[in-house]
Amino acid sequence: MRTKVMHVDSRRARELSGIFKQLAPFVEVVERSDPQYRAVEKLTRIRGCDQAAVLVIANALVSYQLNVRGEEYWQYFVDHTAFVKDSPEQVMIDFLSHNKYNKRLLRQKMARVKSFFRTKLYRELITDGLKYCSSLESLRDFLLKELSSSQFSKTVLFAVKMYNYVCSSCGREVKGDVDLPIDLRNATLSVWSCIVKGCSGDVHVCAEKLMREPLRTQLINAWRIVCRESGIPCVKLDALTWLITGLLRDSGLNPVEARRRALETLGIEIPVEALKELVKCAGESY
């Protein structure tokens, strides 16, 4: 009996690009409804665009291995930093030292934050926080270089996505694109939707493997196909995949229930057939 080998199916990515193309009209609504977007919007309103840009990037770079969902963490972050009068560096260090949701690998995260505040990028952003709204790729490349991170670092890609939220919140047109970060949600959706095949057993375990090489690069390339052929920039698609994965998870992988929740909470009507395709390999049938 042959053992199943987990692999990325680029042909399936092309098929799913048609599904996401149907959902393209919802992207802006979904992005503005993202609790993380609303948290960033509040931060920019209170601290201004320059300081918000710095704080958002710094926090995004250490937003991993949390013990709470991302949407709750970002709201907590803004609630505990928006009105503090100290410098952005001191605000971030104090927040990391005392917050209750981001305790794992604290020494490593503290070192990364301090490293960010020593960069030329920080010195640029503190006086012109919206400088990179016209080139998200430049921001990505600068972060990768200054932090010596790998090309597909999910925290760097996530930081660029969150910076994109700063730009939008401050009324600045966003130009450029970066790859979809292969985090736990996007890796899980990749398995559910059959972009990744051969996952046997716990989907969470498979998702963890997809977040590492060599599968990570292959999966990023597959999602590039979805972005290109659906016409949705990857930095925008991430908000949609993030929402859909959460809806499906909270609905017990039931497309009918996920559709109902999307309509009830966001006022958008995602076709049930589209949602069925996105859980085609999740092991359930509705």
Side-chain angles (χ1 to χ4, degrees):
M1 183 177 178
R2 294 180 62 183
T3 304
K4 285 186 177 180
V5 177
M6 194 160 58
H7 63 281
V8 177
D9 187 344
S10 297
R11 185 171 61 180
R12 177 60 176 167
R14 289 187 177 88
E15 291 175 358
L16 283 182
S17 66
I19 298 295
F20 281 103
K21 193 169 186 176
Q22 295 177 44
L23 304 180
F26 304 136
V27 169
E28 293 300 325
V29 173
V30 167
E31 189 175 66
R32 297 302 188 274
S33 301
D34 182 349
Q36 295 175 147
Y37 180 93
R38 293 199 297 268
V40 169
E41 191 175 39
K42 179 179 178 181
L43 189 65
T44 60
R45 190 169 60 247
I46 296 169
R47 293 196 74 104
C49 297
D50 297 339
Q51 290 202 14
V54 168
L55 286 169
V56 164
I57 290 174
N59 191 46
L61 290 171
V62 293
S63 291
Y64 56 92
Q65 294 203 24
L66 307 173
N67 59 355
V68 69
R69 289 182 178 179
E71 53 267 46
E72 296 175 56
Y73 173 74
W74 277 86
Q75 186 58 60
Y76 178 83
F77 168 70
V78 171
D79 287 346
H80 286 75
T81 61
F83 295 99
V84 180
K85 299 298 183 182
D86 292 331
S87 68
E89 181 176 8
Q90 193 59 50
V91 167
M92 197 66 219
I93 290 171
D94 288 346
F95 173 74
L96 271 183
S97 300
H98 300 106
N99 91 84
K100 60 184 179 180
Y101 292 137
N102 197 354
K103 292 296 186 184
R104 297 172 189 157
L105 304 174
L106 184 58
R107 184 177 298 177
Q108 174 182 310
K109 292 173 180 177
M110 194 71 77
R112 197 172 207 208
V113 161
K114 290 178 179 178
S115 178
F116 168 70
F117 282 106
R118 290 194 297 268
T119 64
K120 178 183 176 183
L121 177 63
Y122 163 67
R123 294 192 296 274
E124 288 182 344
L125 291 173
I126 198 61
T127 57
D128 184 5
L130 305 181
K131 177 177 181 177
Y132 290 93
C133 296
S134 59
S135 179
L136 296 181
E137 296 94 340
S138 295
L139 175 62
R140 174 202 60 201
D141 293 345
F142 214 152
L143 282 169
L144 291 174
K145 179 182 177 182
E146 298 237 48
L147 298 175
S148 301
S149 296
S150 64
Q151 180 183 1
F152 299 133
S153 165
K154 66 177 183 293
T155 51
V156 168
L157 294 175
F158 178 62
V160 177
K161 171 194 171 179
M162 297 302 289
Y163 178 78
N164 152 65
Y165 283 178
V166 173
C167 296
S168 297
S169 295
C170 292
R172 185 65 62 88
E173 181 183 3
V174 181
K175 295 181 180 179
D177 196 17
V178 296
D179 287 311
L180 198 78
I182 304 304
D183 56 15
L184 192 59
R185 283 204 190 192
N186 285 328
T188 299
L189 184 62
S190 300
V191 175
W192 288 349
S193 64
C194 315
I195 288 179
V196 171
K197 294 180 178 175
C199 171
S200 54
D202 192 327
V203 172
H204 185 87
V205 173
C206 292
E208 293 281 357
K209 290 179 181 177
L210 291 168
M211 291 161 62
R212 301 189 295 270
E213 298 298 346
L215 289 169
R216 179 176 62 172
T217 296
Q218 297 172 30
L219 189 51
I220 280 176
N221 287 334
W223 279 106
R224 283 178 182 170
I225 293 171
V226 175
C227 297
R228 183 177 67 247
E229 298 193 6
S230 70
I232 304 172
C234 287
V235 74
K236 301 290 186 182
L237 183 69
D238 188 52
L240 191 56
T241 57
W242 189 89
L243 169 84
I244 287 174
T245 306
L247 286 171
L248 289 167
R249 176 200 62 206
D250 295 343
S251 302
L253 301 181
N254 185 326
V256 174
E257 175 62 15
R259 174 191 175 278
R260 186 193 67 77
R261 291 183 181 219
L263 188 60
E264 182 179 272
T265 59
L266 299 176
I268 61 175
E269 192 164 350
I270 302 176
V272 171
E273 291 305 315
L275 292 167
K276 284 182 178 179
E277 285 294 316
L278 295 176
V279 290
K280 191 172 183 179
C281 286
E284 298 289 345
S285 177
Y286 293 96

